Amino acid sequence: MLRLSRVTRGFDLGAVAQAVALTAVLALGVAGQPARAALFEDDEARKAILDIRAKQAQNEEAQRARVADLQSQLETARRGLLDLSGQIDALRGELAKMRGQNEQLARDLSETQRKVADQSATLDNRLRPLEPQKVSLDGKEFQADPEEKRQFDAAMGLIRRGDFNEAVSAYTSFLQRFPASGYADSVRFWLGNAQYGKRDYKGAIATFKAFVAANPDHPRAAESQLAIANCQIELKDTKGARKTLEDLGKAYPGTEAAKAAKERLTALR
């Protein structure tokens, strides 16, 4: 140490320090070139990794946004489906209600139709006795009101029982009430018979003559002529009776009344 001190004592310590530092710098410069190259390469790799990570982050963010948008659309579609399902259920309820109402209306209509049919049948049954009826009498067919038929039948019942006074009243009343009735001709014939029955011979003659004059082709015209002759016989009008019987035979030959007239003529001689 003492020796070193002696050797170095003659040198400038500052110059020595500078030389040492320069030597160290040179040494470091030669040794540091590969280290700097490696450092540059690490920076580029790190930058590339950061870029990849940034792009990956962007993609992930885009995917998350896309997923969020799809989820939003799905939620909207789900709400729409729920609303549509609710509307369908409501429509089904309305349809069921309408179907029930239609069924009730159909039942009500059927019941109404049944009631109308029953009422119509009842009304028909009530009106039937009031409707004109087809009548066939003395070779003649006509329509007669129920009241006409009732009164005619009642008057016929009177004459069959021999109640000639009441029969005359009934037939007279009938002609006054139903002058255009299809029964009118037959009523006049039976009125004459009722008058004959009550011994009103003049009245009977007038009735029978009017009947024959109005209905010369009536099936009972010959019979009426014979009845006129009988009334004349009862009135002791033999001459008038004979003429009536002769006229009867000429007007209605071959009839039962004509045969009876021939017999009466023989009896009058």
Side-chain angles (χ1 to χ4, degrees):
M1 291 292 294
L2 291 174
R3 191 179 295 163
L4 178 61
S5 298
R6 290 190 188 98
V7 173
T8 60
R9 187 178 297 161
F11 291 94
D12 185 0
L13 291 176
V16 174
Q18 291 178 356
V20 173
L22 179 60
T23 302
V25 170
L26 291 173
L28 288 173
V30 174
Q33 289 180 357
R36 282 196 299 272
L39 181 61
F40 291 149
E41 292 175 358
D42 289 343
D43 288 341
E44 292 176 357
R46 188 179 298 109
K47 183 178 179 182
I49 291 171
L50 291 176
D51 290 341
I52 292 172
R53 288 179 178 176
K55 290 180 179 180
Q56 184 177 3
Q58 290 177 355
N59 290 335
E60 290 177 354
E61 182 64 25
Q63 289 293 330
R64 283 195 294 272
R66 178 61 177 167
V67 169
D69 183 57
L70 291 174
Q71 287 178 341
S72 176
Q73 294 179 12
L74 181 61
E75 181 63 21
T76 301
R78 188 182 68 83
R79 287 196 298 270
L81 288 174
L82 289 175
D83 292 341
L84 182 59
S85 178
Q87 293 176 8
I88 291 174
D89 290 340
L91 289 174
R92 285 176 178 170
E94 289 294 327
L95 182 61
K97 183 178 179 181
M98 292 177 65
R99 186 180 296 112
Q101 292 175 348
N102 288 338
E103 291 175 354
Q104 183 61 42
L105 288 173
R107 288 192 294 270
D108 292 344
L109 178 59
S110 178
E111 180 65 17
T112 301
Q113 290 175 336
R114 185 190 64 79
K115 289 181 179 179
V116 169
D118 291 343
Q119 291 174 356
S120 296
T122 301
L123 184 60
D124 288 342
N125 291 333
R126 291 180 179 178
L127 292 178
R128 189 169 292 112
L130 303 177
E131 293 177 351
Q133 301 175 15
K134 186 177 181 180
V135 177
S136 180
L137 181 64
D138 294 334
K140 180 181 179 181
E141 289 187 352
F142 54 91
Q143 295 288 326
D145 289 339
E147 183 60 19
E148 292 179 64
K149 187 175 185 304
R150 188 192 69 77
Q151 288 198 18
F152 179 81
D153 291 342
M156 291 300 296
L158 291 172
I159 202 169
R160 290 189 186 101
R161 291 196 301 268
D163 192 350
F164 300 117
N165 289 327
E166 291 298 323
V168 168
S169 297
Y171 287 127
T172 301
S173 176
F174 184 97
L175 291 173
Q176 290 174 349
R177 183 171 181 182
F178 306 106
S181 171
Y183 284 107
D185 293 336
S186 296
V187 166
R188 291 186 180 93
F189 171 79
W190 289 108
L191 173 59
N193 281 277
Q195 290 170 325
Y196 180 88
K198 64 176 292 191
R199 301 178 186 276
D200 180 11
Y201 302 121
K202 291 182 178 181
I205 289 172
T207 299
F208 283 127
K209 283 185 175 181
F211 171 76
V212 174
N215 304 279
D217 297 325
H218 195 278
R220 295 187 181 274
E223 189 176 350
S224 297
Q225 282 281 71
L226 183 61
I228 292 172
N230 290 334
C231 289
Q232 290 170 332
I233 291 171
E234 293 293 338
L235 292 171
K236 309 302 181 182
D237 184 6
T238 304
K239 182 179 179 180
R242 184 178 293 110
K243 184 177 186 308
T244 299
L245 293 170
E246 290 172 351
D247 291 341
L248 170 59
K250 294 176 182 178
Y252 305 101
T255 63
E256 291 296 325
K259 293 178 182 179
K262 186 176 181 180
E263 294 175 358
R264 297 286 174 86
L265 279 173
T266 301
L268 288 175
R269 288 175 182 171

